[in-house]
Amino acid sequence: WLLENYAVFVVVPVTIIAGRALKLSNLSYSLITIFMMLHVIGSHYTYAEVPFGFNLQDWLGASRNMYDRLVHFSFGFILGFPLREMFMKAAQTKGFWSYFFPVELAFATSAIYEIIEWLVAVKVDAAAGLAFLGSQGDIWDAQKDMLLAGLGAMLAMVIICLVNRFCIKKDSSNS
């Protein structure tokens, strides 16, 4: 439990401190909260044992609990909007770069997390390490997790781009 929640102990204070400087939208803070709730649920049960993950497993005909995959995809998809808003406010990014950097950060952060996960799993008790990794026998688990985070971020950026292009621009041109 403690291994899984170190991320919460870091992300929540950083979000609060950064929030004073960046002042993100309520939507961004809501999305961050939703993602943290997904993570806390996973850490409460241990990702490979989350009951909803078994439902996903049945629905998708998968050979494993899919909650872990859902959370990795959600990392990119749900946090894509707050990451984009952060880049736009902190670095004044616009246009293509405002869509590119959140995807890059999702891939990079996911890769760093997988490396940290591996290093921690090697250092702790073998049973705790296997539970923390949550690979469920899949030798490509880390790579799939990174891919899902990146794909989630890409999908989020495509949706945000389409909304900006076809919905928001039309509203402002009518005023």
Side-chain angles (χ1 to χ4, degrees):
W1 180 86
L2 185 60
L3 290 174
E4 292 288 356
N5 281 296
Y6 277 128
V8 175
F9 302 141
V10 171
V11 170
V12 170
V14 167
T15 302
I16 291 169
I17 292 166
R20 293 182 180 168
L22 293 178
K23 294 181 178 50
L24 299 177
S25 67
N26 288 339
L27 176 58
S28 283
Y29 290 119
S30 297
L31 292 169
I32 292 167
T33 301
I34 290 167
F35 177 75
M36 294 309 292
M37 288 169 45
L38 290 172
H39 176 71
V40 169
I41 290 167
S43 63
H44 172 74
Y45 287 99
T46 300
Y47 277 90
E49 302 297 326
V50 175
F52 180 66
F54 291 117
N55 292 340
L56 287 173
Q57 179 180 355
D58 291 341
W59 297 339
L60 299 172
S63 61
R64 59 170 290 169
N65 184 308
M66 296 299 283
Y67 190 79
D68 177 54
R69 300 273 196 248
L70 172 68
V71 173
H72 280 279
F73 178 80
S74 297
F75 174 76
F77 185 72
I78 293 175
L79 296 182
F81 182 87
L83 289 173
R84 181 172 182 267
E85 188 174 4
M86 179 191 72
F87 275 113
M88 291 177 71
K89 287 183 180 246
Q92 302 297 311
T93 57
K94 295 179 180 167
F96 170 80
W97 297 109
S98 72
Y99 298 101
F100 177 79
F101 286 131
V103 172
E104 288 299 307
L105 187 60
F107 270 121
T109 306
S110 184
I112 290 167
Y113 181 81
E114 293 297 330
I115 292 167
I116 291 169
E117 199 175 52
W118 162 63
L119 292 172
V120 169
V122 169
K123 297 288 183 196
V124 300
D125 172 67
L130 283 174
F132 180 59
L133 282 177
S135 60
Q136 301 177 58
D138 184 354
I139 63 169
W140 301 108
D141 181 67
Q143 292 83 353
K144 291 175 184 176
D145 291 347
M146 291 182 280
L147 176 64
L148 284 170
L151 290 174
M154 283 186 226
L155 180 59
M157 292 305 105
V158 167
I159 291 169
I160 293 167
C161 182
L162 292 172
V163 167
N164 286 338
R165 184 171 179 102
F166 296 110
C167 298
I168 296 174
K169 299 292 183 191
K170 287 182 180 178
D171 289 344
S172 63
S173 65
N174 291 336
S175 348

